[in-house]
Amino acid sequence: MTPDMKLIDEIKGFLDPEEGMRLYDVACEAAKMGPLLEIGSYCGKSSVYLGSAAKTHNSVLFTIDHHRGSEEQQFGEGYFDPELYDEKEKKVDTFPHLRKTLERAGLEDTVVPMVSTSHVIARVWSTPLSLVFIDGGHTYRAAFNDYSCWARHIMPGGFLVVHDIFKNPDEGGQAPYHVYKLAIASGQFEVLPMTKTLGVLRRYACGEIPSDLPA
Ligand code: MG
């Protein structure tokens, strides 16, 4: 199924439609190989792109988010949204919004939400993944954790996708770019073209040799 753009337009989030469609295209390739995982679901905008691809190929998308919002989304901060604030609990809670999104998108049979911090789930994770999408916390520590905990689970030929890469520090935080560069420096990934701030890497398949490697 192709992503429902009318629905996506109504979901809160920070993913550009062009980036979303690239995510969908990469996910369609990945979903033929195995399950997908995203870190940082928020209200589910990217989950619809990834989930639609997973559904097309009868795969599964796992999502990870503590659903308490990032540092800058807390009460009184720059990206605070009162519609996502649970007045009774005095906490941000985006999980009900993700559930509603998945229901509206017809993806409840395809997407498995996990409500936790990514390194807690990673402690016991052992399933190879065809795609890991890193779009969680933007501190250096959070982004590094997401990379170090999850990149290792990407199967040969699978994809690592990182959102919010700003090569110019004046345009945005550098933590996602830092882990993107770490992944490239590992020598394990082919660098594919970016779409706006979306970085796409593909783990070399077994027996595949980088084209720029000396004979
Ligand atoms: Mg993002």
Side-chain angles (χ1 to χ4, degrees), residues 51-168:
S52 300
K55 188 160 182 157
T56 303
H57 297 284
N58 205 24
S59 187
V60 167
L61 167 68
F62 295 98
T63 67
I64 298 178
D65 200 312
H66 48 60
H67 289 288
R68 292 301 187 197
S70 64
E71 297 82 358
E72 61 272 28
Q73 290 159 355
Q74 302 307 310
F75 189 87
E77 299 297 324
Y79 284 87
F80 176 71
D81 183 340
E83 284 176 24
L84 305 177
Y85 192 63
D86 184 332
E87 278 292 345
K88 219 168 105 209
E89 298 290 330
K90 299 277 179 241
K91 282 176 182 166
V92 172
D93 187 3
T94 56
F95 186 45
H97 300 265
L98 173 68
R99 294 200 77 176
K100 194 76 210 162
T101 296
L102 297 179
E103 187 190 342
R104 290 178 71 199
L107 289 171
E108 287 175 303
D109 59 353
T110 301
V111 182
V112 181
M114 299 189 282
V115 182
S116 181
T117 309
S118 90
H119 65 84
V120 174
I121 299 167
R123 274 192 225 151
V124 295
W125 191 270
S126 59
T127 301
L129 298 163
S130 65
L131 182 149
V132 168
F133 177 46
I134 297 182
D135 192 22
H138 283 14
T139 63
Y140 277 92
R141 282 165 184 246
F144 179 80
N145 255 324
D146 293 340
Y147 169 67
S148 74
C149 289
W150 292 100
R152 69 184 68 188
H153 294 294
I154 299 170
M155 60 181 61
F159 297 88
L160 174 63
V161 185
V162 183
H163 193 223
D164 298 312
I165 294 176
F166 298 101
K167 295 185 176 177
N168 179 355

